[in-house]
Amino acid sequence: MNEHSDIPVLDVDPYAPENLADPYPMHTLMRDTGPVVRLKAYPTVVVCARHQEIHAVFNNAQTFISGAGVGLANFNTEEPFRPKSLILEADAPLHTATRAILSRVMSPKTVMQIRADFAAEAERVLDQALERNQANGSIDWMAEVANPFPLKVFADSIGIAAQGRENLLLYGDMVFNSMGPRNEVFEKSVERVIPVTQWIMQQCDRANLRPGGFGDQIWQAAEAGEITMEQAPMLVRSLLSAGLDTTINSLGNAIYALAHHPEEYAKLHADPSLARQAFEEALRWESTVQTFFRTANTDCEIAGIPIQAQTKVLCMLASANRDPRKWPNADTYDIARKPVGHTAFGTGIHGCVGQAIARLEGELILTALAKRVKRIEFAGPHSRRLNNTLRAFDTLPVRLVAA
Ligand code: OVV
């Protein structure tokens, strides 16, 4: 790493529990140290924490590849923790083929078609949550709303059975943990997932997928020769890996933002048509996927600074979304802001392929909430689920005051 000797080094561990619990002071330090920094504990890594460099890295997929993994491990030299994702951890031409399939499966037309069913379920979930809230004085937002809604609507869309769906949460937690170091958070999530791993892969079999659902449509693409029949279950696995923990915790983060900002919630309640942008701003303010890596494919540069081939580039997506160089009043949650250019879904050719569905879920839950509830209050301390990549909750107790 001699050639990186001009890059400032920080003695901070982004995966230490205190930084997972509250990453924002660390983000500020990283951004203010320089456009590229190094970490004492991770000599193979350089870090970008400002919006400009992260945007540049993500929009240069030839130089900053994904096929060597988007976590800390370099798959050119280390065995992947699980067989590589055919879309997340892939480059052209494989990525081009798998991306085309998932783009079609989750196209704008699909989003229009699923909207009515998703909306009805959002209303049902909120009605039920409000009933529980009336009975008990408060609810756990994660248990009553954030977990059940995507587990119902997105898993139904994929076309998997109703039974055992909570296994998906353990799997997603493990996958996102695996992008960090082999620390205790990761090891514990692996222990929890072992009993359900076989179940997860079984759900990817064609026989277990509802005809016409997203999973079955992937199999149809394999039948048509776009990918092989062996690749089909692996691409279904991507939907099961990326589509639940992400949206679930984004619903958690959104209500956390709104409960922290009663004046912003009052605006949403007064005008529920602000739901979509309130959700979008929550993604900026508390980005659910906090980090992804790329790998330098060749000797290159970032912000004019030479970077050696095979360097892992840690992109602090959540920090880009709080970068004062990009956002006025970056730390302020403001639902009137239209945070165009935020990086919570990534950006570039690997930008979240399911983002329209994620936005739909957020919009519908916040709309149903805004119509029913005039005020949200924290009803006791929340508990975070520390994850190497995700900003996540175990429990988030809130009191919903009916309109
Ligand atoms: C975006 C994302 C996160 C986690 C897993 C995957 C994708 C996957 O393709 O497996």
Side-chain angles (χ1 to χ4, degrees):
M1 289 288 117
N2 281 342
E3 294 170 37
H4 293 161
S5 53
D6 287 347
I7 303 173
V9 184
L10 289 175
D11 187 10
V12 296
D13 182 353
Y15 301 101
E18 64 273 19
N19 288 327
L20 295 177
D22 178 14
Y24 297 109
M26 174 187 72
H27 291 166
T28 302
L29 175 66
M30 287 172 165
R31 285 191 307 263
D32 289 348
T33 300
V36 181
V37 301
R38 292 192 290 152
L39 299 175
K40 200 171 165 208
Y42 304 98
T44 59
V45 172
V46 299
V47 185
C48 297
R50 298 182 185 171
H51 187 279
Q52 185 178 328
E53 285 73 33
I54 289 174
H55 190 271
V57 166
F58 269 57
N59 284 283
N60 183 356
Q62 265 94 39
T63 304
F64 300 104
I65 62 169
S66 292
V70 300
L72 179 62
N74 185 337
F75 295 168
N76 290 327
T77 52
E78 294 163 72
E79 192 63 22
F81 175 72
R82 56 173 196 159
K84 287 205 285 182
S85 164
L86 302 181
I87 183 161
L88 177 74
E89 295 153 339
D91 301 303
L94 172 60
H95 172 264
T96 317
T98 52
R99 174 84 188 191
I101 294 168
L102 292 192
S103 295
R104 188 168 67 234
V105 169
M106 295 185 285
S107 69
K109 183 177 161 202
T110 303
V111 176
M112 277 174 50
Q113 288 168 342
I114 62 179
R115 186 180 177 99
D117 284 350
F118 276 43
E121 180 63 15
E123 306 254 325
R124 200 194 62 74
V125 168
L126 260 297
D127 280 339
Q128 195 178 313
L130 215 57
E131 246 173 66
R132 293 271 169 82
N133 184 90
Q134 300 324 18
N136 301 336
S138 66
I139 56 161
D140 172 11
W141 176 259
M142 300 312 291
E144 300 295 339
V145 180
N147 285 319
F149 180 62
L151 279 175
K152 170 72 176 142
V153 295
F154 193 64
D156 277 0
S157 298
I158 297 169
I160 68 171
Q163 200 161 44
R165 286 184 182 184
E166 60 287 348
N167 294 339
L168 295 169
L169 302 181
L170 298 180
Y171 189 69
D173 187 46
M174 181 278 292
V175 168
F176 282 99
N177 271 325
S178 74
M179 294 166 192
R182 302 297 176 246
N183 55 4
E184 193 178 323
V185 176
F186 167 75
E187 296 296 350
K188 287 209 167 133
S189 70
V190 171
E191 268 169 48
R192 284 192 298 265
V193 88
I194 287 168
V196 309
T197 305
Q198 200 193 350
W199 180 91
I200 298 287
M201 290 319 296
Q202 278 167 0
Q203 305 315 302
C204 301
D205 289 346
R206 190 166 200 179
N208 294 327
L209 291 162
R210 172 176 59 77
F214 296 168
D216 182 59
Q217 289 178 47
I218 290 170
W219 279 95
Q220 289 174 31
E223 253 176 356
E226 290 182 66
I227 51 172
T228 69
M229 296 302 252
E230 290 70 41
Q231 289 174 322
M234 286 292 293
L235 198 53
V236 177
R237 192 193 69 171
S238 283
L239 297 181
L240 301 180
S241 303
L244 280 312
D245 278 66
T246 47
T247 48
I248 285 169
N249 285 297
S250 298
L251 294 174
N253 290 331
I255 208 74
Y256 178 81
L258 289 163
H260 255 298
H261 298 87
E263 73 297 345
E264 297 304 295
Y265 185 75
K267 293 178 201 166
L268 175 60
H269 175 58
D271 181 2
S273 76
L274 295 172
R276 202 172 168 90
Q277 70 188 59
F279 184 68
E280 202 71 21
E281 171 69 348
L283 288 171
R284 185 194 68 80
W285 192 72
E286 283 277 40
S287 301
T288 308
V289 175
Q290 293 264 304
T291 51
F292 268 141
F293 290 76
R294 294 294 187 259
T295 310
N297 193 28
T298 175
D299 289 350
C300 58
E301 54 91 11
I302 300 172
I305 297 158
I307 303 294
Q308 264 184 281
Q310 297 308 318
T311 301
K312 297 296 301 196
V313 183
L314 171 52
C315 293
M316 310 298 292
L317 297 169
S319 169
N321 288 336
R322 297 271 196 126
D323 184 355
R325 296 159 192 80
K326 168 76 180 174
W327 312 100
N329 305 315
D331 288 329
T332 304
Y333 176 72
D334 169 9
I335 71 167
R337 188 200 301 264
K338 292 182 176 142
V340 176
H342 78 69
T343 55
F345 291 119
T347 167
I349 64 169
H350 285 275
C352 178
V353 71
Q355 62 183 274
I357 297 180
R359 288 194 172 102
L360 176 68
E361 291 177 26
E363 176 195 336
L364 294 173
I365 288 292
L366 292 191
T367 303
L369 178 74
K371 286 181 179 165
R372 288 167 176 75
V373 171
K374 71 173 176 222
R375 213 166 59 240
I376 313 165
E377 294 160 3
F378 289 115
H382 62 266
S383 58
R384 288 210 167 270
R385 179 157 55 76
L386 297 191
N387 182 288
N388 286 332
T389 303
L390 295 177
R391 189 120 177 101
F393 291 101
D394 264 331
T395 64
L396 183 49
V398 291
R399 186 168 10 267
L400 307 177
V401 181

